[in-house]
CSV table of all heavy atoms in Angstrom, one decimal:
chain,number,residue,atom,x,y,z
A,1,LEU,N,11.0,-3.1,4.6
A,1,LEU,CA,10.4,-1.8,4.3
A,1,LEU,C,9.2,-1.8,3.4
A,1,LEU,O,8.7,-0.8,3.0
A,1,LEU,CB,11.5,-1.0,3.6
A,1,LEU,CG,12.7,-0.5,4.5
A,1,LEU,CD1,13.8,0.2,3.6
A,1,LEU,CD2,12.2,0.4,5.5
A,2,ARG,N,8.7,-3.0,3.1
A,2,ARG,CA,7.6,-3.1,2.2
A,2,ARG,C,6.4,-2.3,2.7
A,2,ARG,O,5.8,-1.5,1.9
A,2,ARG,CB,7.1,-4.6,2.0
A,2,ARG,CG,6.0,-4.7,1.0
A,2,ARG,CD,5.4,-6.2,1.0
A,2,ARG,NE,6.4,-7.1,0.5
A,2,ARG,CZ,6.6,-7.4,-0.8
A,2,ARG,NH1,5.8,-6.8,-1.7
A,2,ARG,NH2,7.4,-8.3,-1.2
A,3,GLY,N,6.1,-2.4,3.9
A,3,GLY,CA,4.9,-1.7,4.5
A,3,GLY,C,5.1,-0.2,4.6
A,3,GLY,O,4.1,0.6,4.8
A,4,ARG,N,6.3,0.3,4.4
A,4,ARG,CA,6.6,1.7,4.4
A,4,ARG,C,6.7,2.4,3.1
A,4,ARG,O,7.0,3.6,3.0
A,4,ARG,CB,7.9,2.0,5.3
A,4,ARG,CG,7.7,1.6,6.7
A,4,ARG,CD,8.9,1.6,7.5
A,4,ARG,NE,9.6,2.9,7.6
A,4,ARG,CZ,10.8,3.1,8.3
A,4,ARG,NH1,11.3,2.1,9.0
A,4,ARG,NH2,11.4,4.3,8.2
A,5,LEU,N,6.6,1.6,2.0
A,5,LEU,CA,6.7,2.1,0.6
A,5,LEU,C,5.4,3.0,0.3
A,5,LEU,O,4.3,2.5,0.5
A,5,LEU,CB,6.8,1.0,-0.4
A,5,LEU,CG,8.1,0.3,-0.5
A,5,LEU,CD1,8.0,-0.9,-1.4
A,5,LEU,CD2,9.2,1.2,-1.0
A,6,LYS,N,5.6,4.2,-0.1
A,6,LYS,CA,4.5,5.1,-0.4
A,6,LYS,C,4.4,5.3,-1.9
A,6,LYS,O,3.3,5.3,-2.5
A,6,LYS,CB,4.7,6.5,0.2
A,6,LYS,CG,4.6,6.5,1.8
A,6,LYS,CD,4.9,7.8,2.3
A,6,LYS,CE,3.8,8.8,1.9
A,6,LYS,NZ,4.1,10.2,2.5
A,7,SER,N,5.5,5.3,-2.6
A,7,SER,CA,5.5,5.5,-4.1
A,7,SER,C,6.9,5.2,-4.6
A,7,SER,O,7.9,5.3,-3.9
A,7,SER,CB,5.1,6.9,-4.5
A,7,SER,OG,6.0,7.9,-4.1
A,8,ALA,N,6.9,4.9,-5.9
A,8,ALA,CA,8.2,4.8,-6.7
A,8,ALA,C,7.9,5.2,-8.1
A,8,ALA,O,6.9,4.8,-8.7
A,8,ALA,CB,8.7,3.3,-6.6
A,9,SER,N,8.8,5.9,-8.7
A,9,SER,CA,8.5,6.5,-10.0
A,9,SER,C,9.8,6.7,-10.8
A,9,SER,O,10.9,6.8,-10.2
A,9,SER,CB,7.7,7.8,-9.9
A,9,SER,OG,8.5,8.7,-9.2
A,10,ILE,N,9.7,6.9,-12.1
A,10,ILE,CA,10.7,7.3,-13.0
A,10,ILE,C,10.3,8.7,-13.6
A,10,ILE,O,9.1,8.8,-13.9
A,10,ILE,CB,11.0,6.3,-14.1
A,10,ILE,CG1,11.4,5.0,-13.6
A,10,ILE,CG2,12.0,6.8,-15.1
A,10,ILE,CD1,11.5,3.8,-14.6
A,11,SER,N,11.2,9.6,-13.8
A,11,SER,CA,10.9,10.9,-14.4
A,11,SER,C,11.6,11.1,-15.7
A,11,SER,O,12.6,11.7,-15.8
A,11,SER,CB,11.3,12.0,-13.4
A,11,SER,OG,10.6,11.9,-12.2
A,12,PRO,N,11.0,10.5,-16.8
A,12,PRO,CA,11.7,10.5,-18.1
A,12,PRO,C,11.8,11.9,-18.7
A,12,PRO,O,12.6,12.1,-19.6
A,12,PRO,CB,10.9,9.6,-19.0
A,12,PRO,CG,9.5,9.6,-18.3
A,12,PRO,CD,9.7,9.8,-16.9
A,13,ASP,N,11.1,12.9,-18.3
A,13,ASP,CA,11.1,14.2,-18.8
A,13,ASP,C,12.2,15.1,-18.2
A,13,ASP,O,12.4,16.2,-18.7
A,13,ASP,CB,9.8,14.9,-18.7
A,13,ASP,CG,8.6,14.2,-19.4
A,13,ASP,OD1,8.9,13.6,-20.5
A,13,ASP,OD2,7.5,14.2,-18.9
A,14,ALA,N,12.9,14.6,-17.2
A,14,ALA,CA,14.0,15.3,-16.6
A,14,ALA,C,15.3,15.1,-17.5
A,14,ALA,O,16.0,14.1,-17.2
A,14,ALA,CB,14.2,14.9,-15.2
A,15,ILE,N,15.5,15.9,-18.5
A,15,ILE,CA,16.5,15.6,-19.5
A,15,ILE,C,17.8,16.4,-19.1
A,15,ILE,O,18.1,17.4,-19.7
A,15,ILE,CB,16.0,16.0,-20.9
A,15,ILE,CG1,14.7,15.2,-21.2
A,15,ILE,CG2,17.1,15.5,-21.9
A,15,ILE,CD1,14.1,15.6,-22.5
A,16,TYR,N,18.6,15.8,-18.2
A,16,TYR,CA,19.8,16.4,-17.8
A,16,TYR,C,21.0,15.4,-18.0
A,16,TYR,O,22.1,15.7,-17.7
A,16,TYR,CB,19.8,16.9,-16.3
A,16,TYR,CG,18.6,17.7,-16.0
A,16,TYR,CD1,17.5,17.2,-15.4
A,16,TYR,CD2,18.6,19.1,-16.4
A,16,TYR,CE1,16.4,18.0,-15.1
A,16,TYR,CE2,17.5,19.9,-16.2
A,16,TYR,CZ,16.4,19.3,-15.5
A,16,TYR,OH,15.3,20.1,-15.3
A,17,SER,N,20.6,14.2,-18.5
A,17,SER,CA,21.5,13.1,-18.6
A,17,SER,C,20.9,12.2,-19.6
A,17,SER,O,19.8,12.4,-20.1
A,17,SER,CB,21.7,12.4,-17.3
A,17,SER,OG,22.4,11.2,-17.4
A,18,ASP,N,21.7,11.1,-20.0
A,18,ASP,CA,21.1,10.1,-20.8
A,18,ASP,C,20.2,9.1,-20.0
A,18,ASP,O,19.6,8.3,-20.5
A,18,ASP,CB,22.2,9.3,-21.6
A,18,ASP,CG,23.3,8.7,-20.7
A,18,ASP,OD1,23.4,9.2,-19.6
A,18,ASP,OD2,24.0,7.8,-21.2
A,19,HIS,N,20.3,9.3,-18.7
A,19,HIS,CA,19.4,8.6,-17.7
A,19,HIS,C,18.3,9.4,-17.3
A,19,HIS,O,18.3,10.7,-17.5
A,19,HIS,CB,20.2,8.1,-16.5
A,19,HIS,CG,21.2,7.0,-16.7
A,19,HIS,ND1,21.1,5.8,-16.3
A,19,HIS,CD2,22.4,7.1,-17.4
A,19,HIS,CE1,22.1,5.0,-16.6
A,19,HIS,NE2,22.9,5.8,-17.3
A,20,ALA,N,17.3,8.8,-16.6
A,20,ALA,CA,16.2,9.6,-16.0
A,20,ALA,C,16.4,9.3,-14.5
A,20,ALA,O,16.8,8.3,-14.0
A,20,ALA,CB,14.9,9.1,-16.4
A,21,PRO,N,16.0,10.3,-13.7
A,21,PRO,CA,16.0,10.1,-12.2
A,21,PRO,C,14.9,9.1,-11.8
A,21,PRO,O,13.8,9.1,-12.4
A,21,PRO,CB,15.8,11.5,-11.6
A,21,PRO,CG,15.0,12.2,-12.7
A,21,PRO,CD,15.5,11.7,-14.0
A,22,VAL,N,15.2,8.4,-10.7
A,22,VAL,CA,14.2,7.5,-10.2
A,22,VAL,C,14.0,7.9,-8.7
A,22,VAL,O,14.9,8.2,-8.0
A,22,VAL,CB,14.6,6.0,-10.3
A,22,VAL,CG1,14.6,5.6,-11.8
A,22,VAL,CG2,16.0,5.7,-9.6
A,23,THR,N,12.7,7.8,-8.2
A,23,THR,CA,12.4,8.3,-6.9
A,23,THR,C,11.6,7.2,-6.1
A,23,THR,O,10.8,6.4,-6.7
A,23,THR,CB,11.4,9.5,-7.0
A,23,THR,OG1,12.1,10.5,-7.8
A,23,THR,CG2,11.1,10.1,-5.7
A,24,VAL,N,11.9,7.1,-4.8
A,24,VAL,CA,11.1,6.3,-4.0
A,24,VAL,C,10.8,7.1,-2.7
A,24,VAL,O,11.6,8.0,-2.3
A,24,VAL,CB,11.9,5.0,-3.5
A,24,VAL,CG1,13.1,5.3,-2.6
A,24,VAL,CG2,10.9,4.0,-2.9
A,25,GLU,N,9.6,6.9,-2.2
A,25,GLU,CA,9.2,7.6,-1.0
A,25,GLU,C,8.8,6.6,0.1
A,25,GLU,O,8.0,5.6,-0.2
A,25,GLU,CB,8.0,8.5,-1.2
A,25,GLU,CG,8.4,9.8,-2.1
A,25,GLU,CD,7.3,10.8,-2.1
A,25,GLU,OE1,7.1,11.5,-1.0
A,25,GLU,OE2,6.7,11.0,-3.2
A,26,LEU,N,9.3,6.8,1.3
A,26,LEU,CA,9.0,5.9,2.4
A,26,LEU,C,8.3,6.7,3.5
A,26,LEU,O,8.5,7.9,3.7
A,26,LEU,CB,10.3,5.3,3.0
A,26,LEU,CG,11.2,4.6,2.1
A,26,LEU,CD1,12.5,4.3,2.9
A,26,LEU,CD2,10.6,3.3,1.6
């Protein structure tokens, strides 16, 4: 899937938990 990776990120400002959501787009 390496060639299909478009982006990957962490959203630390989404404060609904002690974790932050992480996102990947293919």
Side-chain angles (χ1 to χ4, degrees):
L1 289 174
R2 182 187 294 274
R4 292 168 62 178
L5 287 171
K6 294 178 62 179
S7 66
S9 60
I10 300 172
S11 301
D13 296 329
I15 307 177
Y16 309 101
S17 168
D18 54 342
H19 290 251
V22 294
T23 303
V24 69
E25 291 192 68
L26 304 172

